Amino acid sequence: MTDAPRAFVIGQPIAHTRSPLIHRHWLREYGIAGSYEAVEVAPSGLAAFVEKVRAGAYVGGNVTVPHKEAMFRLMAGGADDTAAAVGAVNTLYRAADGGLAAMNTDIAGFLANLDAGAPGWDRGGGAAVLLGAGGAARGIAYALGTRGVSVHLVNRSRDKAEAIAARLGSGATAHGSDSLPSLLDGASLLVNATSLGMAGKPPLEIDLAPLPRMAVVNDIVYAPLETALLAAARARGNPVVDGLGMLLHQAVPGFAHWFGVTPEVTPALRRVVLADLAEAKR
Ligand code: ATR
């Protein structure tokens, strides 16, 4: 008998990650005799942990803060285009040849969330306005490019938006906040990839008046689930997609690689994670 497959999530701190909740839900749902454990790993222990994985202790796992960029450097030889686009790895798995491989599933998660929540969002013909230029925005800008959607990056620090646009090439331009009203006019997608609007952070202040009512509005913030941005967009009739779906969908490719079943993001899974978020708030 072979041992049950074991997967992990590593980070520091690791107590707050919701990944075990998601993967254990799916393990139960599909009746798979596997495990998913949260392991606290300090930056100084990262290389040794990867060696343990290579030696077969796990079938793979997730990588979270603060290790995503360091893992990309450690795994550079085995990282795919998604990891290279973001410069960060969030998932390790065993490739068909048995070697350890790395990817960044935030890109697939972002796209799958929009596909599920606003089918046809990429056929509007207009550009996307992307707020932010951190790690999350980098992946989303790349994701939009893979669908042929041109991107206007708007960020407080314009130089960071310019660096992302330069890497992406002709499909992306960088702007300061003063250009926002004219960029919103004619956009078919607005995404908040800043931390503004997250519980404990300042609100995102934005006047949606110039945005067409057909434009899809997406926030990657999921605590609170209905941010002020989404509430304002919904009130004026725009289709909205919340950020929780991205968290759930980004978990799909890892689970599929580790346990051999492509899991579904269902209302039941959403309820499990929402209940945990509500619990954490109390
Ligand atoms: P992540 O990796 O999650 O994207 P990050 O790299 O810290 O996190 O990026 C946070 C984003 O929110 C950045 O675009 C940041 O703008 P700067 O690049 O100018 O720092 C944006 N952000 C955070 N606080 C902000 C604030 N008070 N006003 C405007 N933008 C803010």
Side-chain angles (χ1 to χ4, degrees):
M1 203 180 96
T2 53
D3 292 339
R6 294 170 66 202
F8 62 83
V9 53
I10 52 166
Q12 190 184 47
I14 198 63
H16 301 297
T17 173
R18 303 229 144 64
S19 294
L21 207 59
I22 299 171
H23 291 289
R24 288 173 189 165
H25 172 85
W26 281 331
L27 285 169
R28 274 195 309 276
E29 194 72 16
Y30 295 101
I32 294 170
S35 66
Y36 185 95
E37 61 198 75
V39 186
E40 176 137 351
V41 173
S44 59
L46 193 61
F49 186 84
V50 171
E51 285 320 306
K52 241 172 87 173
V53 181
R54 276 192 210 284
Y58 295 95
V59 289
N62 288 123
V63 180
T64 187
V65 179
H67 300 316
K68 295 185 192 189
E69 287 80 13
M71 187 61 86
F72 176 65
R73 292 189 292 273
L74 273 174
M75 287 296 301
D80 74 0
D81 289 354
T82 59
V86 189
V89 159
N90 73 349
T91 304
L92 297 182
Y93 64 99
R94 223 159 266 294
D97 67 2
L100 196 59
M103 62 183 164
N104 191 307
T105 62
D106 284 338
I107 290 165
F110 171 79
L111 294 172
N113 186 33
L114 283 187
D115 287 342
W121 64 272
D122 52 349
R123 296 195 289 272
V129 174
L130 176 55
L131 309 176
R138 202 154 56 224
I140 291 168
Y142 173 85
L144 292 168
T146 66
R147 292 291 180 89
V149 175
S150 55
V151 189
H152 299 305
L153 286 142
V154 178
N155 196 47
R156 172 179 62 180
S157 324
R158 188 170 162 173
D159 54 329
K160 283 167 68 182
E162 272 161 4
I164 296 177
R167 270 182 66 168
L168 288 174
S170 60
T173 56
H175 309 265
S177 310
D178 48 332
S179 313
L180 197 51
S182 61
L183 295 172
L184 289 178
D185 185 1
S188 57
L189 175 68
L190 170 65
V191 181
N192 174 41
T194 71
S195 47
L196 297 175
M198 196 183 284
K201 295 277 162 89
L204 171 68
E205 281 169 19
I206 181 170
D207 178 8
L208 295 178
L211 186 71
R213 286 202 164 67
M214 302 288 286
V216 175
V217 178
N218 171 226
D219 203 327
I220 68 159
V221 170
Y222 59 84
L225 188 62
E226 176 102 334
T227 59
L229 169 66
L230 294 185
R234 193 192 298 280
R236 65 194 292 281
N238 289 88
V240 302
V241 180
D242 67 52
L244 182 58
M246 180 172 169
L247 174 74
L248 305 180
H249 282 282
Q250 66 77 31
V252 169
F255 190 94
H257 276 292
W258 310 324
F259 301 116
V261 172
T262 300
E264 252 190 278
V265 172
T266 57
L269 175 63
R270 263 181 83 88
R271 281 195 297 275
V272 166
V273 179
L274 281 173
D276 189 66
L277 288 168
E279 185 66 26
K281 231 171 57 183
R282 290 200 300 151

